[in-house]
Amino acid sequence: MKKLALGLLVTLCVAALAYVLLFMKEKPAASSSSESVSQQSEPELNIYKKADTLADIQEALDYEISQNPDTVAWLQVPGTQISNSVLQAHDNFFYLRQDERRHADVYGCYFADYECSIGARDVLSHNTIVYGHSDLQDSPDGKRFSQLHHFTDPDFAQENRVITFVTPTDAMRFEIFAVFYTDVGFDYIEPEPSGGIAALAATAKEKSLYDYGVNVGNDDHILTLSTCTVQYGVNNHNYRFVVMGRLLGQDDPEPEKTAITVKGAQ
């Protein structure tokens, strides 16, 4: 089933690329620089409210649940515009091209793998996977998970270390430990990895652009954010860009921003 899902994701990535290229071709040039700035400053999503604080997130999450019962969480990635609800359906196809209100949208929404258990931290799958589309240009200023590509900047990665993931019953923080490109041969989308979470995390850390110095053991829970990439060519649809974080304890302090090591750097 997972291989079927990956195959469909590849097909839809191709379709999305065609859509983006067509849109870029047909979109008229801005008549002035002020119009261009206005277009760029439009909000990415029509959400209930901008969620900055935990109280804001909890209020916004409650509202989103009232609008769509498939809403299971709120995801916030520091330093980006990624701050919105996460949906979950009975399969991994339903929200590929539908937004939070089930309206057709080429960028879909953020959605959790249908096999993941989501709720309080004691019921989470060991690997909670959230998918999102990119603009297939790897632009950090693009929509949805395009903005994960900010993490290819070492300075950005150094400063932005903790992802917030809030469910109706728990507010959780995940300390980033890996940022990497991978082909789909690496099965990083298993909610309960057959080889254990430590082995999966070890492979992710080997592939990571940086060494964060974060240890991940088999008793840990991780959050995996996954999107498409054109890093290896627009016609190569078998690669993904992934950010992973380890769940922090409720009483754990904010992690110190110790220096990360860029792989291959002296």
Side-chain angles (χ1 to χ4, degrees), residues 13-245:
C13 282
V14 176
L17 177 59
Y19 177 93
V20 170
L21 292 176
L22 179 64
F23 177 79
M24 290 173 63
K25 181 178 180 181
E26 295 183 348
K27 184 176 179 181
S31 60
S32 68
S33 59
S34 61
E35 181 181 351
S36 177
V37 171
S38 175
Q39 289 176 346
Q40 292 176 4
S41 63
E42 289 178 358
E44 177 191 0
L45 301 166
N46 181 22
I47 60 176
Y48 169 59
K49 66 181 294 185
K50 184 178 180 181
D52 291 322
T53 68
L54 180 56
D56 289 339
I57 291 175
Q58 290 171 330
E59 181 182 345
L61 177 57
D62 288 343
Y63 178 79
E64 291 300 316
I65 292 171
S66 75
Q67 299 302 299
N68 187 340
D70 287 344
T71 305
V72 294
W74 190 279
L75 173 69
Q76 188 175 70
V77 179
T80 74
Q81 294 177 353
I82 300 169
S83 181
N84 211 321
S85 54
V86 176
L87 289 294
Q88 187 179 41
H90 58 282
D91 58 35
N92 285 339
F93 313 131
F94 189 81
Y95 282 108
L96 277 173
R97 299 299 176 207
Q98 294 193 85
D99 67 12
E100 292 82 358
R101 299 292 182 270
R102 299 187 178 183
H103 299 148
D105 189 330
V106 69
Y107 282 101
C109 61
Y110 305 123
F111 63 97
D113 193 288
Y114 78 103
E115 291 185 325
C116 285
S117 174
I118 297 179
R121 65 189 63 222
D122 59 344
V123 302
L124 277 183
S125 298
H126 277 90
N127 183 17
T128 299
I129 308 113
V130 178
Y131 304 105
H133 288 297
S134 74
D135 60 5
L136 291 178
Q137 298 178 70
D138 291 3
S139 170
D141 298 319
K143 290 187 176 182
R144 296 292 186 179
F145 269 177
S146 303
Q147 298 204 3
L148 290 180
H149 292 284
H150 276 295
F151 284 99
T152 60
D153 177 355
D155 291 335
F156 181 92
Q158 170 67 38
E159 290 301 314
N160 297 280
R161 308 287 280 270
V162 177
I163 298 168
T164 300
F165 190 76
V166 180
T167 70
T169 53
D170 209 340
M172 291 167 277
R173 298 167 300 143
F174 289 82
E175 181 182 13
I176 296 172
F177 66 85
V179 171
F180 60 96
Y181 296 97
T182 184
D183 61 54
V184 296
F186 173 32
D187 190 7
Y188 63 92
I189 57 172
E190 289 185 275
E192 297 297 336
S194 56
I197 204 68
L200 184 146
T203 301
K205 290 166 71 172
E206 287 175 4
K207 292 174 174 284
S208 182
L209 302 178
Y210 318 110
D211 182 354
Y212 281 90
V214 176
N215 296 319
V216 181
N218 276 326
D219 292 332
D220 283 317
H221 292 75
I222 68 173
L223 176 67
T224 297
L225 309 183
S226 175
T227 194
C228 292
T229 179
V230 292
Q231 173 72 7
Y232 301 96
V234 295
N235 295 318
N236 192 335
H237 310 293
N238 294 318
Y239 282 83
R240 302 291 182 266
F241 185 67
V242 184
V243 176
M244 284 184 174

